[in-house]
Amino acid sequence: MNHSISYAYRMIQLSKVENPIGIQISVKNRGLLPFEVKRVYYIYDVPAGESRGGHAHKELQQLIIAVKGSFDVLINDGRTKKVICLDRPNIGLYIVPGIWRKLLNFSEGSVSLVLASQAYSEDDYLRDFEQFKNRKYEP
Ligand code: TYD
């Protein structure tokens, strides 16, 4: 039987306020997101060909948004992989805890914005892919 990875992520559409002087997007706690935002960070100036991520989180939930340009997010639950292209500032990728992710193929000048459910903690990271797989599927 094919294993579906659809439980691991969700695309969340953020509403835009458009007028002649620009477009604004705001994200509220207790709104569309399945978590309360405790931390925000953003990544830019990723050199051509480089990737980010390459880890999973034990508890952390995140919403990843390409606020400028585009990049791909590879998600992997240890059994099934999927690549999701983010290229619109009003669409966020929500990822549940326990999913390996890698961000790659950044377009020049792209900026990724990440909204996170917890403060930064290195203890929440799983950085070794073999350990990640074994942790999930060992009896
Ligand atoms: P990391 O999450 O590993 O980077 P990537 O974006 O590639 O997934 O973080 C890189 C470094 O930055 C690492 O040493 C941890 C540190 N860091 C913080 O101090 N605070 C943060 O909120 C984040 C996301 C990372």
Side-chain angles (χ1 to χ4, degrees), residues 97-109:
I99 302 298
W100 194 266
R101 88 284 313 279
K102 189 172 176 183
L103 280 59
L104 66 168
N105 297 331
F106 288 87
S107 68
E108 197 182 339

Side-chain angles (χ1 to χ4, degrees), residues 9-72:
Y9 73 99
R10 180 154 29 112
M11 307 310 296
I12 295 184
Q13 183 158 1
L14 308 167
S15 52
K16 294 195 266 188
V17 176
E18 292 187 57
N19 66 44
I21 54 170
I23 301 173
Q24 180 193 34
I25 293 177
S26 59
V27 183
K28 298 182 188 110
N29 274 329
R30 297 187 183 81
L32 287 171
L33 299 187
F35 62 90
E36 187 172 354
V37 178
K38 299 273 177 56
R39 175 168 52 113
V40 174
Y41 63 93
Y42 42 96
I43 297 167
Y44 60 99
D45 275 356
V46 178
E50 289 291 349
S51 63
R52 304 286 312 217
H55 56 73
H57 287 283
K58 297 174 194 165
E59 303 286 341
L60 193 73
Q61 303 173 68
Q62 291 182 314
L63 186 80
I64 305 175
I65 306 164
V67 290
K68 191 168 195 301
S70 65
F71 51 88
D72 292 332

Side-chain angles (χ1 to χ4, degrees), residues 4-12 34 62-63 73-77 80-86 92-97 99:
S4 170
I5 197 171
S6 59
Y7 72 93
Y9 73 99
R10 180 154 29 112
M11 307 310 296
I12 295 184
Q62 291 182 314
L63 186 80
V73 185
L74 171 68
I75 59 168
N76 184 347
D77 68 356
T80 303
K81 295 179 200 169
K82 185 174 176 78
V83 177
I84 295 151
C85 177
L86 294 181
L93 168 64
Y94 168 70
I95 305 179
V96 303
I99 302 298

